[in-house]
Amino acid sequence: MPGKLKVKIVAGRHLPVMDRASDLTDAFVEVKFGNTTFKTDVYPKSLNPQWNSEWFKFEVDDEDLQDEPLQITVLDHDTYSANDAIGKVYIDIDPLLYSEAATVISGWFPIYDTIHGIRGEINVVVKVDLFNDLNRFRQSSCGVKFFCTTSIPKCYRAVIIHGFVEELVVNEDPEYQWIDRIRTPRASNEARQRLISLMSGELQRKIGLKVLEMRGNAVVGYLQCFDLEGESGLVVRAIGTACTLDKLSSPAAFLPACNSPSKEMKEIPFNEDPNPNTHSSGPSTPLKNQTYSFSPSKSYSRQSSSSDTDLSLTPKTGMGSGSAGKEGGPFKALLRQQTQSALEQREFPFFTLTAFPPGFLVHVGGVVSARSVKLLDRIHNPAFVGIMGNTRSYKLLDWNSFNSDEPETRDAWWAEIRQEIKSHAKALGCHAVVGYSESTSICEEVCILSASGTAAVLNPRFLQDGTVEGCLEQRLEENLPAGCGFCHIPYDELNMPFPAHLTYCYNCRKQKVPDVLFTTIDLPTDATVIGKGCLIQARLCRLKKKAQAEANATAISNLLPFMEYEVHTQLMNKLKLKGMNALFGLRIQITVGENMLMGLASATGVYLAALPTPGGIQIAGKTPNDGSYEQHISHMQKKINDTIAKNKELYEINPPEISEEIIGSPIPEPRQRSRLLRSQSESSDEVTELDLSHGKKDAFVLEIDDTDAMEDVHSLLTDVPPPSGFYSCNTEIMPGINNWTSEIQMFTSVRVIRLSSLNLTNHALNKNFNDLCENLLKSLYFKLRSMIPCCLCHVNFTVSLPEDELIQVTVTAVAITFDKNQALQTTKAHVEKSLQRASTDNEELLQFPLELCSDSLPSHPFPPAKAVTVEKTSPMGEGNFRNRSAAPCANSTVGVVKMTPLSFIPGAKITKYLGIINMFFIRETTSLREEGGVSGFLHAFIAEVFAMVRAHVAALGGNAVVSYIMKQCVFMENPNKNQAQCLINVSGDAVVFARESELEVVSTQQPAANCQPACTGGEVTT
Amino acid sequence: MTSELDIFVGNTTLIDEDVYRLWLDGYSVGDAVALRVRSGILEQTGATAAVLQSDTMDHYRTFHMLERLLHAPPKLLHQLIYQIPPSRQALLIERYYAFDEAFVREVLGKKLSKGTKKDLDDISTKTGITLKSCRRQFDNFKRVFKVVEEMRGSLVDNVQQHFLLSDRLARDYAAIVFFANNRFETGKKKLQYLSFGDFAFCAELMIQNWTLGAVDSQVDDMDMDLDKEFLQDLKELKVLVADKDLLDLHKSLVCTALRGKLGVFSEMEANFKNLSRGLVNVATKLTHNKDVRDLFVDLVEKFVEPCRSDHWPLSDVRLFLNQYSASVHSLDGFRHQALWDRYMGTLRGCLLRLYHD
């Protein structure tokens, strides 16, 4: 049943002149919802009309409320000819449908026209009266909250994290309908915008229904994407994590509640090895390790990974039983069983979250990913090799019955990929995949579907309703771990899914850890990191012959494994060059174009204290007899060593020395080294040969066997570090920096380069691409130099190949200034601190209980002085792991809306989530030159998109968008015709935030809550 | 490899003050890059010329897009497209409407028409200010003029309200508009020694005392046009020089009062009648538009130059003018005391300002 939607059109301003004769406009407004339309009176001869209309009332089903956007059209009245449209505003009324979010939408909206851009503004008020509906079989899912944020939103507590939800809807793309030949570009664009808005609404409603079925009340980490498949249609798909969230109303209420979960979480992972010394052990800088499961290459490169494949194909092999038997820890076994049972009920135990409540994540296995090449409109295609080998795709839609809800083919495609991901995770001894995401790249009729995530073992506590076993909890309480648990391998060391080099954890010395850890998630808050992190990118291009259909798909399928392998090697080399041992937030994007494939991997490198020190990189020459060559090699070697040393200094990586005996000798793993070698060849002889060539234990060997390899080494060394005062990362926050000020600047930068088509080689291409990315970063550093000392956070690169010789790179990130002095202090305090944390904690505990808690989280030690200051300004606020300085908010003017890709706002607290922002815009021009060329056109459009997002947030009563993301920026130009078109899709969470200095009362904040248990733990141990 | 497209869009619009200045000064992107390179920015930041080029292009594009809004500053404040902190908005507006002394001296008092616009080429060559910058400044004058002409209320307030300028700049624009409206001649060679500040000072005094607004604050154009009735009445002052007795009496009053106090007493005594005739004749001629335009030429010719050639120090000029105005009150036969004060009060201020080398 129904709701009543009420709309009032108040006024307009800055309207364009529609009547040349009078230089004025006779404007009126059409308000449309579903099939009902109302009109205001004409307000004659004014550019600032005051309609002050009555309330237009729409009585509608809540299903429609969820699906349909409110459409407001501003027109110029013309007595003699057709009325001219000035522009439109689409308002998503979803935020009004759940009780805690916005209650009214009221404000100035830019009037948008797909040809002319923003043309003035209109003031609108929208309200919804919703009647309660008890019908169980309803089709709507009003009340389910959606969040783009990929962690538990700040003012909520996760009661249960249910798991993966996905849905997709398919339709014909209006741009490709026959009618498009006869209608205007404006009509076509508007049809498309409206359709996508409608499909998004429908998709969200359907996902909401699934969440209700799972008895959840929210979707976190909601990611919705469009696939513009051209002739074969338009797919809107979304994934997310269903949760049951509790609003944190008062701190008192939530502290006790939090107590148990975090206790449990911390303890459970460690119960396997009761270790009384854990907490007080000297260098308590727990490090994390990750293994990397290179799944696509697994499936492809059969020669090296037959064993993995076997494992991954036997999903029924219970992890729990295997490992429990080996390690003999009864608790572990219990834990595994619990988790397994909790997860087994789910088809896909995936989580789109990248940050978790403390204790949720028990172990991390490594990155799992899968790709599949599909033909969009052919029935037979040589699909993905390996596990996907037998897939057949079918024609998407029967055009005679378009709009039919039959997205089976696409569903099946994704189901296959997810199945593969799941089995890869199993092979890694993990039941679950976290930090999960899906993407596509489409060129003509070929489509690459990709999915990736991080295999992990989770704490069952959050996954089910059942209460946790009290005894288990209590017994484990004493061994509060120092935050290295997630690095410990989840798989069985004697039956490893892939060769890896294991050592005992450098932190607890009890469990095995891999030598390198790759993950797609954010750095867990309790991880101990040494020094700072940095953005690491691998960039790669591969030429491909132009081909049609199946031949094309085959060519791409054949290239993919090599690309993945190279990207991986590059990442590994760059990581070593930085002297680091773990990657977080890894995102590998493979883009397909007419005549090339591009791979771009971005991640944040860090040095986890729990993982072993990375070995250096050694260069091995192929022709050792040549003297000058040898000299050259040794010269290169020296350069590499110098770079590593320089980077260690730059990123302040100085791990405490640990003698070999304590750690124990590395587990012998004969095959491990060969795995890490850079060698594309399949001959095993070479591998052996290489294995002999490097003497040093951990060294990573680069074999320079041809000019290509030489170039690769060179390119390794050409990555210039950011100028002093700048840091960058693609995760939420920079490890090692925790004194952010409130000065933030979100930006989008787009570059398109045209390749000279002559003699394109892979190398020229690689160089061009590399230069493009490097220059882009350099430009960013230059532009933002006034913000130094500053860190670019959540740097998100996307590559697309709009045409044969064009490469487009889009970057969205946020620059945050931090306090230099405190930064220094922190780093100094860091080492000291880690050595005597227990005692410090204790002292502080007495004085500043809450502050202390956060301090006791091993990953982010604060200088005590800082803790005190913060304590004074806001009694508890900063208990958060990010110790942000409570800078006084500089005269904040009305109407400023902050935007950030992060889930938080430095120096401020999010007090309310107002709903999801999900907007899609098309802009087209037929006067490209007049609008300043392609740069002028796109610059103006992106500025307009920002403006429309801000206006919607402001109208909801918010003052910021968090977890903002530009999911799509498709740009097409035709300079000869003086035309260009661009499609942009953005999303984020509208929020209200308050400066910390403004908050008098302790507001409810989850991280602060989590402190409490940690403190308790600390007390017990010491 | 060529860059087809290269943009940077911040949620808060980035404004680089140095680049803004270069843009306002009318430099092309190429020239601006060269100037920035010369400023040593590459060494300071370790950036490359390509980065600088891209950065400059980007800022220029932003300024170009903002320019439309700068033409109506209140729009800049209310628009939603560019999020700019208020202090930056103020800076953008203030700098955009700032003008060069050299330029304003060239066009002050000229009709802000197409004809003048055509002369901008020459002005650009003469002053060394780029043509682009000249155009912007000229268009600013013209735009402000168009908006505030025929508006009620104080000229300065109107300028401030519609262009959100600082008080100082709004006053300057009021002077420019006032001069343009009354077409005062300022370009003659003998006026070249005067600065824009001198004229603006006089304009302010005249607006305060000689316009319609000085007597009635409810009329259109009140601060733009001189009070016609007042100008008409000024003819009555003729008697001060036409009536020989009155002139002699006036002279003796002034001389008695200033004897011993003036370094240039004898020169003053010798020149009194000439000076007085000059000042009064200026007043009586103001009914003719032509003579209004030549007001400053006449003042310099009839008063400033004679005094300067006799090397009067400024303090003596001040003493003389004070006494000269005040003594009229003691002339029994003279009935237009109020008129005299309205005229001479302003004129005295102007003359003192105009009297320098």
Side-chain angles (χ1 to χ4, degrees), chain A residues 302-505:
Chain A
R302 273 149 287 163
Q303 75 282 357
S304 66
S305 60
S306 53
S307 60
D308 322 0
T309 318
D310 285 349
L311 256 181
S312 61
L313 285 174
T314 52
K316 287 295 163 192
T317 311
M319 292 299 314
S321 60
S323 44
K326 296 254 164 52
E327 299 177 20
F331 295 124
K332 190 168 188 172
L334 181 54
L335 164 74
R336 291 235 154 122
Q337 277 159 18
Q338 272 179 8
T339 318
Q340 194 166 9
S341 64
L343 290 171
E344 258 175 8
Q345 298 157 5
R346 302 188 174 101
E347 191 184 3
F348 298 114
F350 297 169
F351 301 86
T352 54
L353 304 180
T354 58
F356 311 92
F360 182 77
L361 201 58
V362 179
H363 299 304
V364 168
V367 169
V368 285
S369 70
R371 288 182 210 284
S372 160
V373 183
K374 299 287 184 188
L375 277 180
L376 288 174
D377 57 355
R378 299 295 151 82
I379 293 176
H380 301 290
N381 68 328
F384 202 63
V385 211
I387 297 177
M388 313 293 301
N390 298 323
T391 5
R392 291 282 182 274
S393 49
Y394 301 95
K395 195 170 178 182
L396 167 65
L397 270 182
D398 178 2
W399 290 134
N400 297 327
S401 64
F402 90 88
N403 218 357
S404 61
D405 283 354
E406 291 183 282
E408 268 87 33
T409 316
R410 298 297 183 277
D411 263 345
W413 289 356
W414 286 110
E416 283 162 8
I417 289 213
R418 289 172 191 142
Q419 200 59 51
E420 191 187 350
I421 290 276
K422 189 177 170 185
S423 54
H424 285 325
K426 287 230 159 138
L428 285 173
C430 298
H431 319 277
V433 176
V434 295
Y436 180 73
S437 65
E438 295 175 346
S439 62
T440 57
S441 171
I442 296 171
C443 178
E444 303 289 306
E445 74 267 306
V446 174
C447 172
I448 302 181
L449 310 183
S450 312
S452 74
T454 304
V457 174
L458 304 178
N459 188 317
R461 166 62 177 70
F462 284 95
L463 302 175
Q464 56 198 13
D465 279 306
T467 51
V468 199
E469 298 70 26
C471 61
L472 180 64
E473 227 177 290
Q474 269 163 16
R475 273 203 263 162
L476 302 169
E477 197 142 318
E478 269 109 275
N479 332 310
L480 195 70
C484 58
F486 80 92
C487 305
H488 301 161
I489 52 163
Y491 37 86
D492 174 5
E493 70 181 74
L494 297 177
N495 189 15
M496 286 201 295
F498 55 89
H501 183 186
L502 302 182
T503 49
Y504 281 101
C505 173

Side-chain angles (χ1 to χ4, degrees), chain A residues 37-111:
Chain A
T37 306
F38 292 102
K39 282 181 191 175
T40 66
D41 297 334
V42 174
Y43 193 93
K45 306 209 181 306
S46 171
L47 299 182
N48 301 288
Q50 305 290 318
W51 292 288
N52 232 335
S53 78
E54 57 185 302
W55 285 99
F56 300 124
K57 293 177 185 133
F58 301 87
E59 288 180 355
V60 276
D61 280 352
D62 45 2
E63 190 182 331
D64 285 341
L65 280 174
Q66 284 192 296
D67 288 5
E68 294 271 348
L70 175 67
Q71 183 180 320
I72 293 167
T73 313
V74 186
L75 299 114
D76 176 51
H77 176 76
D78 199 325
T79 320
Y80 305 106
S81 61
N83 299 325
D84 296 323
I86 295 172
K88 287 188 186 227
V89 180
Y90 292 98
I91 301 178
D92 178 11
I93 47 170
D94 217 47
L96 294 178
L97 302 182
Y98 30 93
S99 49
E100 291 152 40
T103 52
V104 61
I105 298 176
S106 165
W108 289 99
F109 291 89
I111 302 168

Side-chain angles (χ1 to χ4, degrees), chain A residues 507-670:
Chain A
N507 187 42
C508 68
R509 310 279 158 68
K510 287 293 167 190
Q511 297 292 308
K512 297 282 170 54
V513 294
D515 55 349
V516 194
L517 190 58
F518 284 14
T519 75
T520 59
I521 55 172
D522 269 346
L523 187 67
T525 53
D526 57 352
T528 309
V529 171
I530 292 177
K532 296 197 168 62
C534 71
L535 180 71
I536 291 180
Q537 284 194 322
R539 303 156 188 146
L540 191 67
C541 306
R542 280 286 169 269
L543 286 169
K544 165 183 89 65
K545 285 210 178 71
K546 277 193 190 182
Q548 292 300 311
E550 295 190 19
N552 196 16
T554 313
I556 294 168
S557 295
N558 290 339
L559 270 174
L560 274 180
F562 295 103
M563 297 212 40
E564 298 250 18
Y565 187 81
E566 291 250 327
V567 164
H568 181 228
T569 310
Q570 240 188 64
L571 280 175
M572 192 65 102
N573 285 337
K574 288 190 175 174
L575 183 67
K576 299 237 172 207
L577 208 58
K578 295 278 195 284
M580 299 175 183
N581 58 18
L583 287 182
F584 287 89
L586 177 63
R587 189 167 159 267
I588 302 178
Q589 196 198 351
I590 304 268
T591 310
V592 58
E594 287 271 285
N595 56 352
M596 63 178 100
L597 282 177
M598 302 234 124
L600 179 64
S602 307
T604 301
V606 295
Y607 187 107
L608 286 178
L611 299 197
T613 312
I617 297 178
Q618 285 215 331
I619 298 184
K622 198 75 189 262
T623 48
N625 297 329
D626 188 339
S628 68
Y629 188 68
E630 199 120 293
Q631 204 179 353
H632 180 67
I633 294 282
S634 72
H635 177 67
M636 296 270 282
Q637 182 70 57
K638 188 173 170 301
K639 257 172 85 178
I640 287 182
N641 293 346
D642 289 351
T643 312
I644 295 179
K646 219 173 66 200
N647 280 331
K648 281 190 173 173
E649 198 178 316
L650 183 64
Y651 299 108
E652 296 153 13
I653 299 169
N654 37 12
E657 296 288 326
I658 300 173
S659 64
E660 279 291 315
E661 303 92 68
I662 306 177
I663 300 161
S665 55
I667 294 110
E669 180 50 62

Side-chain angles (χ1 to χ4, degrees), chain A residues 891-911:
Chain A
N891 49 341
S892 57
T893 40
V894 196
V896 170
V897 174
K898 297 217 174 202
M899 292 170 74
T900 171
L902 308 178
S903 65
F904 67 97
I905 298 190
K909 278 206 182 79
I910 294 170
T911 54

Side-chain angles (χ1 to χ4, degrees), chain A residues 13-14 108-110 118 121 723 744-756 767-769 771-772 775-776 778-780 782-786 806 891 893 895-899 932 934-936 938-940 942-944 946-947 950-951 971 973 975, chain B residues 1-19 36 41-42 44-48 50-65 68-69 72 74-87 89:
Chain A
R13 67 181 182 196
H14 305 151
W108 289 99
F109 291 89
I118 290 179
E121 290 122 37
I744 67 170
Q745 165 73 291
M746 189 282 297
F747 59 84
T748 292
S749 185
V750 184
R751 272 193 192 187
V752 177
I753 56 161
R754 184 175 291 279
L755 302 161
S756 49
K767 187 169 180 312
N768 278 333
F769 184 39
D771 288 351
L772 171 61
N775 289 337
L776 187 46
K778 274 186 215 157
S779 272
L780 297 181
F782 181 76
K783 278 204 173 293
L784 299 163
R785 64 193 184 284
S786 66
L806 296 184
N891 49 341
T893 40
V896 170
V897 174
K898 297 217 174 202
M899 292 170 74
V934 286
S935 294
L938 195 60
H939 191 146
I942 291 178
E944 286 176 342
F946 286 1
R950 288 193 301 257
F971 177 72
E973 55 167 324
Chain B
M1 181 177 99
T2 49
S3 221
E4 283 273 301
L5 185 159
D6 178 5
I7 57 160
F8 175 99
V9 190
N11 182 37
T12 304
T13 305
L14 278 186
I15 307 289
D16 184 309
E17 288 185 43
D18 297 333
V19 184
R36 291 182 85 188
I41 196 166
L42 294 185
Q44 286 163 33
T45 59
T48 61
V51 165
L52 204 59
Q53 169 86 17
S54 141
D55 180 67
T56 311
M57 289 274 279
D58 216 64
H59 283 299
Y60 266 53
R61 198 163 44 237
T62 307
F63 298 141
H64 182 73
M65 291 192 280
R68 185 179 55 86
L69 298 163
K75 268 195 189 162
L76 183 70
L77 260 64
H78 293 124
Q79 55 84 30
L80 303 175
I81 301 178
Y82 308 96
Q83 188 159 270
I84 305 172
S87 61
Q89 287 178 344

